[in-house]
Amino acid sequence: MVETLSAKDARRIALAAQGFGRPRPAAPAKRHLLSTIEALGVVQIDSVNVLSRSHYLPIFSRLGAYDRTLLDDLAWGKTRALAEYWAHEASLTPLALHPMLRWRMADAAAGVGVWKHVAAFLRDHPDFIDQALAAVAERGPLTASELNLGAKGEGGWWGWSEGKRAMECLFWTGRLTTATRRASFERVYDLPERALRSISQTPTPDRDEAHRVLLATAGRAMGVATERDLRDYFRLGPADTRKALAKLVEDGILTTVQVEGWDQPAFLWPATRRPRAIKADALLSPFDNLIWFRERTERLFGVRVRLEIYTPAHKRTHGYYVLPFLQDETITARVDLKADRKAGRLLVQAAHAEPAANAETAPRLWRELTRIAAWLGLEGIEVRSVGELSPKLSLKAT
């Protein structure tokens, strides 16, 4: 008999699986960061730095204030525990998961689906690609600008130079990887056998096995999820997903359940925590795993979360870099935040209430704003008069 979960139970399971509802450690150490990332399976990277680089924020949301150099060391240090590749989008994953993405590197080399432009560039510029690869092999880790090959960028491919295109194509196909990142967040490329020495000789799993591992990782990280939720977590194709999912269910790694109010079957990680309640305050990056699949976010929380970074300013509803506020089990507010590093202030450019907001929302949101400001080294908070919550937050700021 298929188990039926209430919508509340499904939401609590999802929050617990994502690392919410646990006490934050007093002084988060590297082991706390690594266990959090291993539980999530993947952390998205994005270059927007209006508040903080996005990969730092999900850790703060779950653990509170921590030393960001710990994450840098895990991702790009001498004894790294993470690798960088296209997992959800550009992402960091635990090292053990990196070989599970080699099928995607093979797809990129073959020009399958969205990777056609990669294969075309490799095919049309063989000598240039060989020069780029040889330069890294001979000179060591290099940025695209240090490569100094090819023409400068002029539109298309985000305005990349030919050298940058070559390096990215080699990265996408797995022939290069990320050695580190410059302070400007520019990627430094190196050979996998040097930068990822501990896994460079790991056997490559077949495509089916890799998809099963990725889907199981997604299932554990989400607790309960639909097929579309699971597929989106690592951006997998429909056919590969269905085949892998059927095997996971057959083997009992995931079980089929129904969730009240969901119009699709769901799949449960059997060992997932089932808390009776979730207590948490968290500002969520727009790229946070909990909310990055907007369809799932609306299903879990009843709110429409849209990324408005690329929306013209006059058409935005909530602002540019908007972080939903998780208050226990609900999203009760959204704030448009910016770090004014020169002035040393956190700018709350808008503060909007959601229907679930209550008398506790403003004080709890303010407490979290003071925490993130302190973590970012900002000395004060300035609240602009935009949004229903801004007057209450302004009173706190005075």
Side-chain angles (χ1 to χ4, degrees):
M1 184 176 179
V2 175
E3 180 183 5
T4 297
L5 300 173
S6 71
K8 283 186 177 180
D9 285 342
R11 183 166 60 247
R12 289 165 182 159
I13 287 170
L15 286 165
Q18 283 282 297
F20 296 101
R22 296 181 183 273
R24 290 173 171 175
K30 191 179 289 187
R31 62 184 175 85
H32 296 109
L33 273 68
L34 185 56
S35 64
T36 298
I37 296 168
E38 287 176 339
L40 293 173
V42 56
V43 173
Q44 186 174 339
I45 296 170
D46 190 82
S47 62
V48 176
N49 195 27
V50 66
L51 177 68
S52 168
R53 301 286 184 196
S54 67
H55 58 286
Y56 295 115
L57 291 170
I59 311 302
F60 173 81
S61 299
R62 290 155 177 82
L63 300 182
Y66 70 97
D67 182 350
R68 280 168 287 174
T69 63
L70 296 177
L71 182 53
D72 294 339
D73 192 48
L74 286 171
W76 302 293
K78 291 182 179 179
T79 55
R80 66 178 62 195
L82 307 175
E84 189 178 328
Y85 190 62
W86 207 262
H88 176 74
E89 296 285 333
S91 307
L92 295 169
T93 66
L95 279 178
L97 213 59
H98 192 260
M100 304 301 158
L101 295 164
R102 288 178 185 160
W103 61 269
R104 181 165 284 160
M105 300 172 194
D107 278 2
V112 175
V114 298
W115 302 105
K116 291 179 181 178
H117 64 291
V118 173
F121 189 87
L122 294 170
R123 182 182 61 249
D124 295 343
H125 303 81
D127 294 339
F128 188 77
I129 292 293
D130 288 345
Q131 290 179 56
L133 197 58
V136 175
E138 294 168 9
R139 296 166 56 188
L142 294 172
T143 64
S145 58
E146 292 168 337
L147 183 64
N148 199 26
L149 282 175
K152 303 294 183 183
E154 294 181 5
W157 282 59
W158 303 281
W160 286 350
S161 67
E162 286 186 332
K164 175 66 173 176
R165 295 184 196 183
M167 297 293 243
E168 283 296 293
C169 286
L170 289 167
F171 172 78
W172 285 328
T173 56
R175 297 167 70 186
L176 291 179
T177 191
T178 304
T180 188
R181 291 273 188 168
R182 298 281 192 243
S184 63
F185 211 56
E186 185 178 13
R187 180 181 281 135
V188 181
Y189 304 84
D190 200 3
L191 303 176
E193 53 266 37
R194 287 197 299 232
L196 302 177
R197 188 173 304 171
S198 64
I199 59 168
S200 64
Q201 299 303 313
T202 300
T204 299
D206 66 38
R207 188 183 188 97
D208 289 347
E209 178 188 353
H211 277 75
R212 288 194 295 272
V213 171
L214 292 171
L215 271 181
T217 301
R220 187 193 66 225
M222 286 189 280
V224 61
T226 67
E227 180 187 310
R228 283 172 56 83
D229 297 340
L230 292 167
R231 179 155 57 93
D232 177 77
Y233 208 77
F234 287 104
R235 297 294 169 87
L236 306 177
D240 287 322
T241 296
R242 288 173 190 143
K243 184 177 181 181
L245 187 53
K247 181 62 174 171
L248 292 176
V249 171
E250 178 185 336
D251 292 346
I253 295 171
L254 292 173
T255 59
T256 304
V257 297
Q258 293 290 336
V259 178
E260 293 177 355
W262 292 19
D263 60 3
Q264 305 163 49
F267 301 89
L268 178 75
W269 183 256
T272 196
R273 288 197 300 134
R274 299 193 184 203
R276 294 183 178 180
I278 294 288
K279 294 293 182 183
D281 288 331
L283 289 163
L284 303 172
S285 160
F287 304 104
D288 193 289
N289 306 44
L290 181 66
I291 59 170
W292 65 24
F293 189 37
R294 311 311 180 192
E295 174 186 307
R296 175 175 170 85
T297 304
E298 189 167 354
R299 194 185 326 118
L300 283 172
F301 299 104
V303 298
R304 289 172 57 86
V305 174
R306 296 293 182 267
L307 187 65
E308 297 185 292
I309 290 174
Y310 307 108
T311 302
H314 68 282
K315 293 185 177 181
R316 292 177 193 143
T317 303
H318 296 99
Y320 178 77
Y321 200 78
V322 178
L323 285 76
F325 177 58
L326 178 69
Q327 181 181 328
D328 297 331
E329 301 171 12
T330 57
I331 291 174
T332 60
R334 307 184 208 205
V335 283
D336 180 14
L337 300 183
K338 179 179 180 179
D340 185 342
R341 297 175 180 89
K342 186 175 181 180
R345 301 184 72 77
L346 176 66
L347 304 183
V348 183
Q349 303 191 110
H352 297 276
E354 291 296 321
N358 57 31
E360 294 183 5
T361 299
R364 290 173 67 171
L365 173 57
W366 177 257
R367 186 165 61 241
E368 206 60 22
L369 289 169
T370 61
R371 287 171 176 160
I372 198 169
W375 175 60
L376 294 173
L378 304 172
E379 297 176 355
I381 301 175
E382 180 181 328
V383 181
R384 304 279 170 82
S385 299
V386 179
E388 308 87 346
L389 285 176
S390 61
K392 293 180 180 179
L393 295 179
S394 295
L395 289 175
K396 298 285 186 180
T398 56

